[in-house]
Amino acid sequence: LFLKAIGLTYEESLAFWRAQFTKNMPQDKFDKEYRYGVRYNYGLEGKRQDWSPYQCSKIIGSPGSNAAAGEHHGCPFRNFDEGQLRAQMQQMQISNADASFIVEKVRGHHYQVACGKYFEAKHAGTTLIETELGGITHPNQYFEESVKFYAPPEVEAAPTSEQSDQFGKD
């Protein structure tokens, strides 16, 4: 649903999931066991409902939505043990000070604040007010804020000749 919410079509989402899953299983198994789920999420099967992605609080609190060993879904701040989390942050080049802050928040079960601090650490120079107010609240929020951060700065349009003429008149 995250991929759907960021604008991927059903076909693009299916291609992504197929590429990921067929690293560890044959394509026919993916088609039999997972294709229906992708179609269902896009409202193409079952209830034909237009599903929306879960907010962080739902992902963190729902039984079964957090990953078991070897799986990679759910909230990493909720799912990873401290050793895994520190190793991942070191690999992602998070400073020791930021990593310690994040781990402290995770120990206190403030997963969304930890996520907000992680965002700030990965997007140098940003300060999310959300970190102070409770952190990231939706996976798509993280994505959208990251897109804003990496977007090229808007270039101010040069004045038109008509506007230039107006400035020269008194």
Side-chain angles (χ1 to χ4, degrees), residues 64-75 78-80 84:
S65 68
N66 291 299
E71 295 180 351
H72 303 285
H73 62 275
C75 172
R78 163 74 170 78
N79 294 340
F80 287 7
Q84 288 175 295

Side-chain angles (χ1 to χ4, degrees), residues 2 7 10 12 14-15 25 29-30 33 38 44 101 103 117-118 139 143 151 158 166-167:
F2 169 78
Y10 159 72
E12 292 166 330
L14 182 66
M25 71 175 64
K29 182 176 181 178
F30 170 82
E33 296 182 19
V38 176
L44 302 172
F101 179 90
V103 168
K117 186 62 174 179
Y118 179 83
F143 175 80
Q166 289 176 346
F167 291 120

Side-chain angles (χ1 to χ4, degrees), residues 16 74 100 113:
F16 171 81
S100 293
V113 176

Side-chain angles (χ1 to χ4, degrees), residues 29 39 51 70 86 138 140:
K29 182 176 181 178
R39 290 183 55 79
W51 299 99
R86 284 191 181 277
H138 198 287
N140 291 99

Side-chain angles (χ1 to χ4, degrees), residues 5-24:
I6 65 170
L8 267 64
T9 65
Y10 159 72
E11 291 81 11
E12 292 166 330
S13 185
L14 182 66
F16 171 81
W17 290 117
R18 182 178 286 132
Q20 297 305 306
F21 277 80
T22 57
K23 290 177 183 176
N24 299 317

Side-chain angles (χ1 to χ4, degrees), residues 46-66:
K47 294 169 97 174
R48 299 195 183 273
Q49 182 173 338
D50 188 19
W51 299 99
S52 298
Y54 290 157
Q55 293 188 22
C56 293
S57 58
K58 175 96 174 170
I59 294 168
I60 291 166
S62 295
S65 68
N66 291 299

